[in-house]
Amino acid sequence: RTLQAQLQAAEEAAKMANARLSSAELAAKEAEARAQMSQSLETQLNTKEQSARTLQAQLQAAEEAAKMANARLSSAELAAKEAEARAQMSQSLETQLNTKEQSARTLQAQL
């Protein structure tokens, strides 16, 4: 009976060892799955960070283009004001010329 008891005890110990081994293998598989998920998430994060950097660069380029467009618009507005001022001056000179021509005709008629 002693040998029988020892055999049963050994079999029970083997069953417990197998159960612990199965549990350890399951834990290892879960850890591997978590590691793969972590790697996937890290890759996604790196991709999103790269996209954010690209978008930031595009935003800066757009802001620079807007500044240049505003500068060109200001220049065009200034040129338009100058042209308007020249047109008004031309209109004034034309009016003065017409007045002087009318005066000259009047004087000519009087002579």
Side-chain angles (χ1 to χ4, degrees), residues 33-75:
R34 284 194 299 274
Q36 289 175 356
M37 178 65 75
S38 176
Q39 181 65 39
S40 174
L41 290 173
E42 185 176 357
T43 300
Q44 290 178 32
L45 176 61
N46 289 340
T47 300
K48 290 190 186 305
E49 287 175 343
Q50 182 61 45
S51 294
R53 285 191 293 272
T54 300
L55 288 173
Q56 183 65 32
Q58 290 174 344
L59 174 61
Q60 288 175 347
E63 288 173 341
E64 285 301 313
K67 285 180 187 176
M68 291 177 64
N70 282 332
R72 288 194 306 272
L73 176 60
S74 295
S75 177

Side-chain angles (χ1 to χ4, degrees), residues 77-93:
E77 288 172 337
L78 180 59
K81 286 180 182 176
E82 290 173 349
E84 177 65 21
R86 284 193 302 274
Q88 289 175 358
M89 177 65 74
S90 177
Q91 182 65 41
S92 174
L93 291 172

